Amino acid sequence: MAAAIEAEDLVKTFGEVHALDGVSLEVPEGTVLGLLGPNGAGKTTMVRVLTTLLRPDSGRAVVAGLDVLKQPNEVRGLIGLSGQYAAVDEYLTGRENLQMVGELYQMSPRDSRARALELLDWFNLSEAANRIAKTYSGGMRRRLDLAAALVVRPPVMFLDEPTTGLDPRNRMALWEVIERLVGEGTTLLLTTQYLEEADRLAHDIAVVDHGKVIARGTADELKAEIGGERIEIVVEDPAHLGQAVEALAPYAKGEPAVERHTRRITVPVSGGASVLADVIRELDARTIVIQDIGLRRPTLDDVFLSLTGHATFGDEDVEAADVEALEAAADAAGGTGDGDAARTVAAGSSSSEGKDS
Amino acid sequence: MSAVTTAGAIGSATPVQRGGAVQALRDSWVVAKRNLRRMTRIPEIVVFGMLQPVMFVLLFTYVMGGAIAIPGAPSNADTYKQYLMAGIFAQTVTFAVAGASAGIAEDMTKGLVDRFRSLPMARSAVLVGRTIADLVQSALTLVVLGLVAFIIGWRIHDGVLKALGGFALLLLLGYAFSWIGALIGLSVRSPEAATSAGLVWLFPLTFVSNAFVPVSSMPGWLQPVAYWNPFSASVQAARQLFGNLLPPPAPQATVWPMVHAVWVSVGWSLLITLLFSWLSVRKYRSAVG
């Protein structure tokens, strides 16, 4: 399969921050690549480079067979971009927004209008079509923004954290749309902080941190990489920890990890639920009282933790603070002619301060 | 969400490649329409934008007019009123700078500009569209201002055609200045800062000119500055075309830019437009060409 998106050794530095530190990736036609990483990992910078918004310091990128640096305008005609912040004009109606985008994609006014109405219908915005976007809810704006990215049915789409800040219902609805698009053959590069989102939507996942791809594979491959299932036990009496480890030994496929202060033992196993039943019987026979026991499969969370040594995402408050910090930095950067730089720098620095704790 | 409609070939991704200039004009008009629509959605901006110059007309005429004596001219408020209007009109169109700089700074801080930059549109269109919309707004403001001035007694004396020419020169000046505003808006990146940065230099520029008092009343060292001020040329040209030059025996400005004011005004406006549109578009596309 031909690659619809190809990046080779992209580097972008903002002052001291290596937003992209030699990123290479490839997205085969008709597939979804999930760029997974914390705030400031370089995801947005990657998207901005691939969508012609930002020029990398070095490296090469090809989108839909065209060189992003040499033929930016041709590339723009073949891509759709929907970002983290709904990029719609809040004083235009939903229909006017989509129609404007259509005309700027060089469609005729009549085709733009027809396509706008079609998309509004598709995204359940027909009733709000003639209201200005300022009156829309967050979910509606995000849908309008995604619709704007779909005006020309671009073969390659970039979605930068499409569901950040959405409630679960709107997130599910957006996922369904994205799945349909991909079903129709669109190639998609999706950035996300949500492991669940990458797990569900992406064929392939590239984990990025500090401007580097630190792991690459399907969700299953990544999970397999950090090992299979394991049993977690919390015993009631810390004095029983030693006995419990002994009891587990015949089933263990690796060294058990013992956390004395939480009275927790974690041991890799294989064989699924039947092993769990055996272990419970064994512990019971030794009259070891257990407070909690479970069979755990690795999540992408575990993958992330084991790859980066820090968890992926904080709570919404941290995110909101990041946005403020980044806007302030963009203001402060006035006159450099490149607020984008400031934006990414801010995201980078605030994440390294706040997120990892 | 309803079923995906796969039917219909509308919007297939085969962008039409148009000629550069034609596409640039078309894209600019699409953006101008957007900005004009926004004005109808936020009419306060337009209304207050009109009230301010109306206030200036009334204050200068009725409060200052009686006190400002023009050397050699019959000292009454009516003389000053006729003299003043071209100055106020010119000042009004140049204040479009603030609108352009604030509007563009606002656009640049919103995600919308990323959308524009990711579209296969002319790189200049976002800025040209903005300045065209500002030009339309300036024209509307001038109509209202002209009517107010007429009501309080301002008259043209040289025919409607020449007067329209005078207004056209003023709008050309305003258009040129909106490109200065565009560059400010691109450089400042916060709409609030852009508004004050857009206005602060306009006061010395419009006051060190022939707009409100004859240059001959200024200290000698300041007079050349005022005479060669691009703003003065447009005011003088408009006065000529309106037939509002001071009647003799008031001294007439005999320096070169004042005598050839119409052409000097056109020249300055074109020069400013070319220079600042080039600088602005260059700055706008600084990320990727």
Side-chain angles (χ1 to χ4, degrees), chain A residues 20 41 73 131 207 242 291 301 309 319 335:
Chain A
L20 296 178
N73 216 42
R131 267 169 39 202
V207 182
Q291 202 172 51
D301 252 322
E319 242 164 68

Side-chain angles (χ1 to χ4, degrees), chain A:
Chain A
M1 228 184 305
I5 304 171
E6 224 183 321
E8 222 175 88
D9 215 16
L10 289 175
V11 174
K12 182 74 194 177
T13 309
F14 299 119
E16 303 271 286
V17 180
H18 298 281
L20 296 178
D21 199 0
V23 176
S24 299
L25 51 82
E26 212 180 281
V27 189
E29 226 167 79
T31 69
V32 181
L33 174 71
L35 270 191
L36 179 65
N39 263 349
K43 305 188 299 287
T44 298
T45 309
M46 191 70 198
V47 169
R48 295 179 69 80
V49 167
L50 292 174
T51 54
T52 77
L53 298 180
L54 194 64
R55 190 177 269 278
D57 299 338
S58 67
R60 207 176 68 92
V62 175
V63 169
L66 300 167
D67 191 306
V68 170
L69 293 171
K70 293 185 186 129
Q71 297 164 283
N73 216 42
E74 286 76 10
V75 169
R76 289 176 193 127
L78 297 170
I79 59 172
L81 166 67
S82 178
Q84 203 170 145
Y85 310 98
V88 297
D89 189 320
E90 51 184 12
Y91 286 103
L92 296 190
T93 67
R95 183 180 59 72
E96 287 166 348
N97 262 296
L98 295 182
Q99 205 173 332
M100 172 179 75
V101 170
E103 289 180 33
L104 293 175
Y105 265 119
Q106 313 305 321
M107 287 163 67
S108 74
R110 187 200 291 178
D111 282 356
S112 305
R113 193 188 158 85
R115 181 65 176 153
L117 294 174
E118 190 179 42
L119 284 166
L120 288 164
D121 184 43
W122 183 9
F123 282 91
N124 266 354
L125 291 168
S126 287
E127 275 176 35
N130 293 317
R131 267 169 39 202
I132 60 172
K134 202 177 167 62
T135 65
Y136 285 19
S137 69
M140 289 165 79
R141 278 192 214 198
R142 206 61 81 86
R143 260 146 55 205
L144 183 62
D145 188 59
L146 185 55
L150 293 178
V151 166
V152 283
R153 301 175 189 281
V156 182
M157 298 254 318
F158 296 87
L159 301 181
D160 189 14
E161 303 200 9
T163 64
T164 297
L166 285 189
D167 60 48
R169 200 173 59 90
N170 275 310
R171 177 170 301 162
M172 291 292 285
L174 220 55
W175 283 355
E176 279 169 29
V177 174
I178 293 169
E179 279 168 344
R180 281 181 187 146
L181 280 175
V182 175
E184 290 180 6
T186 306
T187 307
L188 173 62
L189 188 143
L190 167 92
T191 79
T192 183
Q193 310 187 40
Y194 301 114
L195 304 152
E196 197 192 348
E197 190 162 282
D199 211 351
R200 168 156 174 180
L201 296 176
H203 299 110
D204 258 318
I205 295 172
V207 182
V208 288
D209 199 28
H210 302 300
K212 282 194 160 91
V213 175
I214 53 172
R216 173 85 204 253
T218 64
D220 286 339
E221 283 166 4
L222 289 175
K223 289 175 191 171
E225 203 167 289
I226 65 150
E229 45 198 14
R230 59 201 194 279
I231 288 176
E232 264 181 34
I233 298 170
V234 179
V235 297
E236 195 159 84
D237 185 349
H240 288 157
L241 277 170
Q243 279 185 50
V245 170
E246 248 169 61
L248 284 164
Y251 308 97
K253 297 286 170 214
E255 263 323 281
V258 180
E259 251 180 47
R260 200 153 287 277
H261 65 287
T262 55
R263 309 184 307 279
R264 184 191 306 270
I265 306 167
T266 308
V267 60
V269 296
S270 70
S274 70
V275 179
L276 185 63
D278 292 345
V279 167
I280 292 172
R281 269 192 293 274
E282 182 74 36
L283 293 168
D284 204 35
R286 296 182 186 223
T287 64
I288 299 170
V289 185
I290 47 181
Q291 202 172 51
D292 189 19
I293 185 163
L295 184 69
R296 306 259 189 269
R297 290 195 165 76
T299 61
L300 278 177
D301 252 322
D302 299 323
V303 174
F304 204 87
L305 200 59
S306 80
L307 284 170
T308 65
H310 57 82
T312 41
F313 53 102
D315 49 78
E316 296 292 322
D317 291 343
V318 176
E319 242 164 68
D322 275 352
V323 172
E324 275 165 38
L326 137 192
E327 278 170 0
D331 287 348
T336 64
D338 204 341
D340 316 328
R343 217 175 288 174
T344 318
V345 173
S349 58
S350 60
S351 91
S352 50
E353 285 159 22
K355 285 279 163 148
D356 306 345
S357 51

Side-chain angles (χ1 to χ4, degrees), chain B:
Chain B
M1 265 168 231
S2 59
V4 180
T5 36
T6 41
I10 310 163
S12 57
T14 42
V16 189
Q17 291 303 321
R18 290 164 199 272
V22 176
Q23 191 199 324
L25 279 176
R26 182 181 174 277
D27 292 348
S28 300
W29 178 237
V30 173
V31 178
K33 266 195 304 190
R34 168 218 167 210
N35 284 315
L36 291 170
R37 281 208 174 102
R38 282 174 66 91
M39 285 175 195
T40 67
R41 307 282 150 79
I42 331 168
E44 307 89 275
I45 294 181
V46 181
V47 170
F48 286 107
M50 284 180 181
L51 276 180
Q52 188 183 313
V54 167
M55 219 57 105
F56 263 65
V57 165
L58 298 177
L59 289 176
F60 267 95
T61 306
Y62 293 114
V63 179
M64 326 267 268
I68 296 176
I70 295 175
S75 179
N76 64 49
D78 188 66
T79 311
Y80 186 64
K81 193 193 297 168
Q82 305 300 327
Y83 177 81
L84 170 74
M85 288 309 161
I88 301 255
F89 294 168
Q91 193 189 37
T92 303
V93 294
T94 56
F95 274 44
V97 166
S101 57
I104 283 169
E106 196 190 337
D107 278 353
M108 297 303 284
T109 59
K110 296 266 165 73
L112 191 60
V113 75
D114 281 351
R115 160 128 295 135
F116 284 142
R117 288 217 279 212
S118 75
L119 292 175
M121 60 188 281
R123 298 289 92 182
S124 55
V126 169
L127 304 177
V128 176
R130 174 76 218 189
T131 54
I132 290 176
D134 286 331
L135 183 64
V136 172
Q137 190 185 350
S138 291
L140 283 175
T141 307
L142 274 191
V143 169
V144 171
L145 207 53
L147 284 174
V148 171
F150 182 80
I151 290 167
I152 63 165
W154 169 71
R155 294 292 180 268
I156 55 170
H157 301 280
D158 231 353
V160 175
L161 272 184
K162 277 195 174 178
L164 287 177
F167 281 116
L169 284 183
L170 292 175
L171 287 175
L172 191 64
L173 176 77
Y175 188 72
F177 272 53
S178 68
W179 277 107
I180 303 179
L183 187 65
I184 294 173
L186 287 168
S187 309
V188 177
R189 278 184 179 277
S190 124
E192 295 76 16
T195 308
S196 30
L199 285 177
V200 68
W201 54 278
L202 274 180
F203 283 100
L205 186 100
T206 53
F207 278 88
V208 183
S209 79
N210 58 355
F212 303 105
V213 295
V215 174
S216 53
S217 66
M218 296 178 190
W221 60 270
L222 199 56
Q223 289 186 14
V225 180
Y227 280 132
W228 283 94
N229 184 344
F231 187 76
S232 295
S234 295
V235 172
Q236 179 78 5
R239 267 186 199 134
Q240 278 177 17
L241 293 167
F242 293 153
N244 287 157
L245 290 176
L246 290 173
Q252 303 296 312
T254 51
V255 292
W256 190 84
M258 293 294 103
V259 176
H260 303 94
V262 170
W263 297 113
V264 174
S265 153
V266 171
W268 271 123
S269 294
L270 290 182
L271 188 71
I272 294 169
T273 303
L274 287 177
L275 177 65
F276 281 87
S277 60
W278 177 70
L279 288 172
S280 301
V281 172
R282 206 178 62 143
K283 194 158 185 72
Y284 176 80
R285 67 197 297 176
S286 61
V288 163

